[in-house]
């Protein structure tokens, strides 16, 4: 269960949305691209630029409290949900159970 954010992000990357907002345990959020992550052993970490402290924060992705997609400038986030859903459906439609299929 602790790797759920990493799994969601990997799926979003596969659907063409590799840049996300990570919601951190301290209540802040940080934008990060999949290419700005690394594996340390079996733990995926995000390498986050902390301008205020002038450091690179190494945040285990599984410690993040949430994940999101920023809508493009000038785009209403409520309307952008449909774009995100369409990209995810295109990528994962074969793995999404329909109402007529029993879920496991």
């Amino acid at each position: 269960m602790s790797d759920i954010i990493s799994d969601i992000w990997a799926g979003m990357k596969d659907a063409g949305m590799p840049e996300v907002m990570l919601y951190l345990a301290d209540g802040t959020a940080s934008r990060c691209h999949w290419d700005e992550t690394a594996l340390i052993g079996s733990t995926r970490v995000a390498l986050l630029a902390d301008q205020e402290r002038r450091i690179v924060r190494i945040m285990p992705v599984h410690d993040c409290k949430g994940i999101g997609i920023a809508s493009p400038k000038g785009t209403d986030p409520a309307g952008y949900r449909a774009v995100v859903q369409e990209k995810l459906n295109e990528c994962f439609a074969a793995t999404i159970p329909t109402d007529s299929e029993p879920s496991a």
Side-chain angles (χ1 to χ4, degrees):
M1 188 70 160
S2 65
D3 291 327
I4 193 142
I5 298 293
S6 293
D7 292 342
I8 291 169
W9 195 358
M12 294 171 81
K13 174 186 68 77
D14 292 344
M17 297 174 285
E19 187 170 79
V20 300
M21 293 297 293
L22 295 174
Y23 296 91
L24 310 179
D26 65 3
T28 62
S30 186
R31 185 182 301 260
C32 191
H33 191 284
W34 182 265
D35 292 345
E36 297 165 347
T37 69
L39 277 176
I40 298 177
S42 62
T43 303
R44 177 143 318 264
V45 297
L47 307 172
L48 306 174
D50 188 327
Q51 300 294 336
E52 184 177 310
R53 294 177 186 89
R54 304 184 90 186
I55 61 171
V56 174
R57 294 174 72 177
I58 300 171
M59 175 64 60
V61 173
H62 69 263
D63 285 347
C64 295
K65 300 301 178 191
I67 189 167
I69 295 289
S71 59
K73 284 187 177 184
T75 303
D76 177 26
Y80 195 62
R81 288 184 296 202
V83 173
V84 172
Q85 185 173 29
E86 182 179 334
K87 287 182 180 184
L88 292 172
N89 285 342
E90 286 174 2
C91 187
F92 300 107
T95 62
I96 299 171
T98 64
D99 290 340
S100 62
E101 297 176 16
S103 59

